Amino acid sequence: METEVAEKQSSYRYWVREAREDAAPLPVPRKLTGEDMSNQPQPNVLGSVWNQAGTWEEKNLNLWASSRIKELLTSVSSLEFSSGKANITEVTTCSGDAFQVTVRNKKRVGYTYELSLIFKGEWKVKEEKKKVKGHLDIPEFSFGELEDLQIDVRVSDDEDLIQEEKQQIAKDVKLFLSPIREKLQQFEQELKDR
């Protein structure tokens, strides 16, 4: 009898062998219908269907990014200088990575690229017009760092120009920095909106 009193006073049991009358009934399984599934609230999840928790998902955007950068930079209009004019004719090197990462159901984008562009132009050198070509090299640049963008100018050695004339042409061509920066900012915005 003492054990029965002790059992009733204690609310903790290690296991129960018999179903009690006051216990809730066990749920009865049933097959869900299409209507049941359509009535479920759909969570607002970024990324793929398989990643409903939105933990980590990385998407490679290299193909789109490279073609878009080339398209934007070749659309830069020609610039006129005091001694001539030039335009960007081709993007010869566009190497790097662009990606979209979904982390904890938040989208983040980024890129790192390196560019080399060909410019062609016409400058007045010693009272005669000369056709000049060369390269604009943009060393590594990445997302959010366009204010620090720098251009290295290489004038082709084909031309019979003295060093001072090449320096003046390089100084003129560096004015492409502003329109190139604008086009790359447009690219960044498009990347964010993807």
Side-chain angles (χ1 to χ4, degrees):
M1 180 106 167
E2 257 181 59
T3 57
E4 285 180 29
V5 173
E7 261 183 40
K8 287 184 180 179
Q9 288 177 352
S10 171
S11 63
Y12 176 78
R13 295 186 185 209
Y14 188 66
W15 75 81
V16 177
R17 289 187 181 190
E18 303 172 7
R20 294 182 22 198
E21 291 177 23
D22 62 340
L26 292 173
V28 178
R30 70 178 181 88
K31 190 173 186 172
L32 294 176
T33 64
E35 187 178 316
D36 292 334
M37 294 305 291
S38 65
N39 291 338
Q40 294 292 321
Q42 297 297 321
N44 189 10
V45 177
L46 293 173
S48 299
V49 174
W50 59 266
N51 191 11
Q52 293 295 311
T55 53
W56 178 274
E57 182 177 347
E58 187 169 341
K59 191 179 208 180
N60 183 330
L61 300 174
N62 292 346
L63 189 61
W64 171 82
S66 294
S67 65
R68 188 63 182 141
I69 287 172
K70 287 178 182 180
E71 183 182 329
L72 287 169
L73 292 180
T74 53
S75 72
V76 171
S77 57
S78 64
L79 291 180
E80 302 239 356
F81 314 107
S82 60
S83 57
K85 65 179 181 175
N87 63 331
I88 295 173
T89 59
E90 185 182 349
V91 178
T92 56
T93 304
C94 182
S95 62
D97 293 309
F99 54 88
Q100 174 184 333
V101 177
T102 304
V103 181
R104 296 188 186 138
N105 222 9
K106 290 184 182 173
K107 181 176 76 168
R108 297 180 181 146
V109 292
Y111 67 86
T112 302
Y113 268 88
E114 211 172 282
L115 297 171
S116 184
L117 316 167
I118 292 179
F119 73 88
K120 289 183 181 178
E122 195 173 86
W123 272 265
K124 193 173 187 182
V125 179
K126 295 180 186 172
E127 301 304 321
E128 71 177 83
K129 289 188 176 185
K130 288 194 173 190
K131 293 193 182 283
V132 179
K133 61 183 176 180
H135 290 270
L136 297 171
D137 296 321
I138 302 173
E140 189 174 347
F141 63 99
S142 56
F143 187 81
E145 297 179 359
L146 292 178
E147 293 304 315
D148 300 331
L149 198 66
Q150 294 181 357
I151 292 181
D152 298 327
V153 179
R154 292 181 289 138
V155 178
S156 292
D157 291 331
D158 303 350
E159 319 306 327
D160 56 338
L161 300 170
I162 61 173
Q163 191 62 29
E164 290 172 1
E165 295 166 341
K166 286 184 178 182
Q167 286 176 345
Q168 180 58 43
I169 291 169
K171 183 180 174 186
D172 288 346
V173 172
K174 281 193 176 194
L175 293 175
F176 272 114
L177 180 63
S178 181
I180 288 173
R181 183 181 288 131
E182 288 173 18
K183 294 294 183 177
L184 292 176
Q185 285 170 338
Q186 180 182 344
F187 165 74
E188 270 192 15
Q189 189 58 49
E190 291 176 13
L191 183 64
K192 285 183 203 175
D193 295 340
R194 277 187 71 84

